Amino acid sequence: AAAGGSGRPNPVALPSVLGSPVPMSSEEIDAAAARAAAAVESAMLKAGRPRTPQRSRSRRDEQGSSQTELIVGTLVVLCSAIGLAMLVPSVVVVWSLVGSTVSVLVAFTLPTAFHVAMQRQEGERPGAIGWTSRVCLVISLVAVLVCSYASATSLKTETLDLGGNDTCTTAS
């Protein structure tokens, strides 16, 4: 039953059609697909492979959230963002808070966090460099909090004129 002594079974010989394709109705196509799926299933069972579970058509993920729950969650986030945008007086407020937080995260916190995670994943015991990176990680997390707080308090004390004149700058 092996082809050429390779240990593999002979492939199923399919007739070749040299002429034009035979027109088939959708019912015939569905029946042929069902027969092919049944043939593959029986061949897999004969080979000792377990049957592959078929996914349900309800499109539910592992947590059980449905399409409706995803739509509701998206609408909640969207409405919250729009409401917050209407409350913020200027885009300068957003830029200030995001800039003070993200710049410290990208420059200091993330690189040291990645270094610590790589050391932990490789199972290394932290030496002098490992402890230094952990200390830098803690310091950078504190810096994120301090910079965000400083940015928020400076926005409280500074006022912006909506007419286009920035009252934060000093006139010379």
Side-chain angles (χ1 to χ4, degrees), residues 20-162:
S20 62
V22 179
M24 296 176 71
S25 68
S26 63
E27 291 83 17
E28 291 173 326
I29 293 172
D30 290 341
R35 285 193 306 270
V40 168
E41 182 83 25
S42 67
M44 289 182 68
L45 288 174
K46 285 180 184 176
R49 294 187 181 160
R51 183 176 179 195
T52 57
Q54 295 185 359
R55 294 193 61 164
S56 65
R57 294 191 177 254
S58 66
R59 303 287 294 171
R60 297 177 73 82
D61 61 2
E62 289 79 20
Q63 289 81 23
S65 64
S66 66
Q67 188 78 15
T68 306
E69 291 170 338
L70 292 174
I71 290 172
V72 169
T74 302
L75 287 175
V76 166
V77 170
L78 184 64
C79 291
S80 300
I82 290 172
L84 189 61
M86 291 178 6
L87 293 175
V88 175
S90 173
V91 74
V92 174
V93 174
V94 177
W95 286 343
S96 177
L97 290 173
V98 170
S100 65
T101 304
V102 173
S103 62
V104 176
L105 280 173
V106 169
F108 301 106
T109 306
L110 292 178
T112 55
F114 293 150
H115 183 261
V116 169
M118 285 176 28
Q119 275 188 330
R120 187 174 297 159
Q121 190 176 29
E122 293 172 357
E124 295 179 18
R125 292 183 55 89
I129 294 177
W131 287 112
T132 305
S133 63
R134 284 169 170 74
V135 169
C136 286
L137 180 62
V138 170
I139 291 172
S140 67
L141 288 172
V142 170
V144 167
L145 295 174
V146 168
C147 290
S148 298
Y149 178 76
S151 178
T153 56
S154 71
L155 287 173
K156 234 188 241 185
T157 58
E158 297 171 352
T159 59
L160 294 174
D161 183 14
L162 296 179

